Amino acid sequence: MKLALYHPWIYVTGGIERTLLNIASRSRHDWTLYTHHYDSAGTFPGLRDARIVVLEPQVSVRRALPALAQAAWRIGRTQLPLRDEEALLVSSEGLGDFVVAKNDLPTVCYCHTPLKILHDPVTRQALRSRSFRKYAALRFLAPGFNAVDRRMWKRYRYVLANSQETAHRIERAGLPAKEIEVLHPGVDLDQFTLHPTLPRERFFLVAGRIMWEKRIELAIQALRVARQNGTDASLVIAGGVDSKSRPYLETLRQHAAGLPVEFLIHPSDEELAALYARCMAVVFTAPNEDWGIVPLEAMASGAPVVAVDAGGPRESVIHNVTGWLLPPTPWAFAEQMKIIADDGPNGRLISRRATRRRAQQFAADAFVQRLDDVMEDVVLNGAVARPILPVAHLPVPGLQIARSAADESGA
Amino acid sequence: MSLIVDGRFLTAKATGLHRVARGFVSAAKDAGVELEVWTPGACDDPLADRAIRLPAGRVGGRLWEQVVLPAAARGRTIWSLTNTAPLARPGVVVIHDLAASIGPAWFAGSMHLYARSVLATARRAVRVITVSGAVRAELVARGVAPDRITVVAPAVDEKFVPAPADEVDRVRRSLGLSGDFAVMVGWADPRKDVATALAAHARAAAEHPHALVLIGSGHPTFAPVSMPTGNDIMVTGHSSDADLIALLTGAKVLLYPSRYEGFGLPPLEAMACGTPAIASDIAALRESTAGSTRLVAPGDVTAWADALLDGLRGKLRPPTRPQRTWRSVGQELADALPGGSDARRLR
């Protein structure tokens, strides 16, 4: 079956791009990826094997309000140069929705989050403290944006959310979805795997995109406090940086002055997998992550996760079993880092096999298989059959949220 | 009475459009059309015949074209060759493309007014000369009377012939090119879509290592394009004609993934240098290349990578030198310009 996927920009090595790569490489269907901005050098090399069509006029990846407004306008006016695709999957972070305006294919939404700056209270609050003027402008423009976005959402045949957190945001945003199925993006269990013979070392790892939204300074502050308390450990920060986040990287370097912090920019997948396998634990500081592929990659590699007790990690990390969910303070993180370091690189606080088993419940293959089924249902039947297994998650008030196949596979 | 040529373009930074304009003027002169080329202020260009004083200030050039030139012409017909003309009394105007109207996102915000003035000029002109049937259709769709439009396609300059081996070696050495390479011309113009060329290069390089040479430089009227980076990417900036010809000769293939063109000379220039081209499957390039190049859907990275691989492996159809000459361009211009045929007969 020939299918189209739209995502506004493919230019970095983040969780969304990893998900797109999984879809393109594992699906039984034949996908064409349409995008308004593609940087083959900045994203995963594996995406080079996918069929990608770059649309015009291309959109900026800047997140300033005028750039966002322009991007929404351009996306909304785009008619996809479809060949013989039978359905469209919109991979949406808020702006992707607008592509349905001029395209009539049966469409499914895979929602990573509704526009975060409007619908995630933590991000909104962060913007308010950074620039009240921008925050006020955003509040002024929000009703208009939301009104148009709701009209776009009415055209979705089916909505998949990447997490319970995202499903709740969709519900709070008042976006019209009769039913939302939570389908967690999966992890590549072959690429990120246990290495029982590889010795663990005395460092903590921060992985993933380096950008202010990930609040990586928390990990550096925590390391400083932990070392003051006698913890002998270092920190490795490994991830991609796009041009707009370069100043943030410099700020992090200044924060890290005098501390044993190593930066590894744009690591290859092999380097990243080796870091996961060698670290004592992965520190995940994002304040309210939509889902978070990094905790999954860590657990698949047998590394425990020290994460903020909010957002996606609440759904993936099991407190005290596969990691720890903590308040977002340097002291809480430092205390846990000390406990882990005192236990040693090959300590017994967390079972490596337990973390691996947890990750296996979110296999990329299961994720893609369920997505394939959904798309097939939409094309062949015009509607999507609910997952066979019983609903286990608590429903969002006013919504029915079905549990994903990926989530069920290890239940 | 001879035609007055609006020679403002001779004093501006040379672009591809200006090169075609120069070709048109020379070809018309050679065909016997009586022309006087007027320029704003002193100009040492051999084409220039008479200098008319330029008003001071940043908008001096536009003011000259809109006010000074028509006043000095005193009712004589003005031939404007680069999309704009005196709006009050446009005579004959050459419209090369409607890029600023069709893709405003490719240009700086200040070009919105320019886009409107090009259309207004075309609607009011005594005669419109354009470079392809594709632009003719766009003009008709925007309200220009079809009977006032004549299509005169440009030709490849005769200097585009395969460069000698030592010239190719010289540019190879200067750029540090040792193996196969592909070329793209005009990368800093957003509508040329360097992103697709880069993505195709990255994919193809995995199977067939090669370099990608990007020729061209930005222009104040273009929307910004990020400086390309990556393995085996070489950005040359603006090249001299000699370097360009040597690069086109030495390349395995020219990539021309443009989203929009009025005509599109670079694929023909590459073929004149003995190098096959891959061009976007858009109306103007379909027309100008007339089946002589591989056409690929714009933006389809996978298809571009496949075509590039074919080019690197020598699997594209061998290039043929374009047959059209500036002499035939001159004859067509003489027929299209008011009084042009008479002048030719009298000669």
Side-chain angles (χ1 to χ4, degrees), chain A residues 32 35 37-41 46-58 70 74 81 83 243, chain B residues 104-106 190-191 193 195-196 198-200 202-203 206 229-230 259 297-303 306:
Chain A
T32 301
T35 181
H37 188 109
Y38 177 51
D39 176 5
S40 62
L47 274 169
R48 288 178 192 159
D49 297 328
R51 182 170 197 90
I52 291 180
V53 175
V54 187
L55 303 163
E56 273 285 331
Q58 297 180 21
Q70 188 190 53
R74 288 182 181 175
R83 295 176 178 82
S243 55
Chain B
W106 299 319
R191 78 182 147 102
D193 193 10
T196 293
L198 292 170
R203 287 178 182 219
T229 54
R259 298 293 181 144
D300 188 335
V301 172
T302 315
D306 291 345

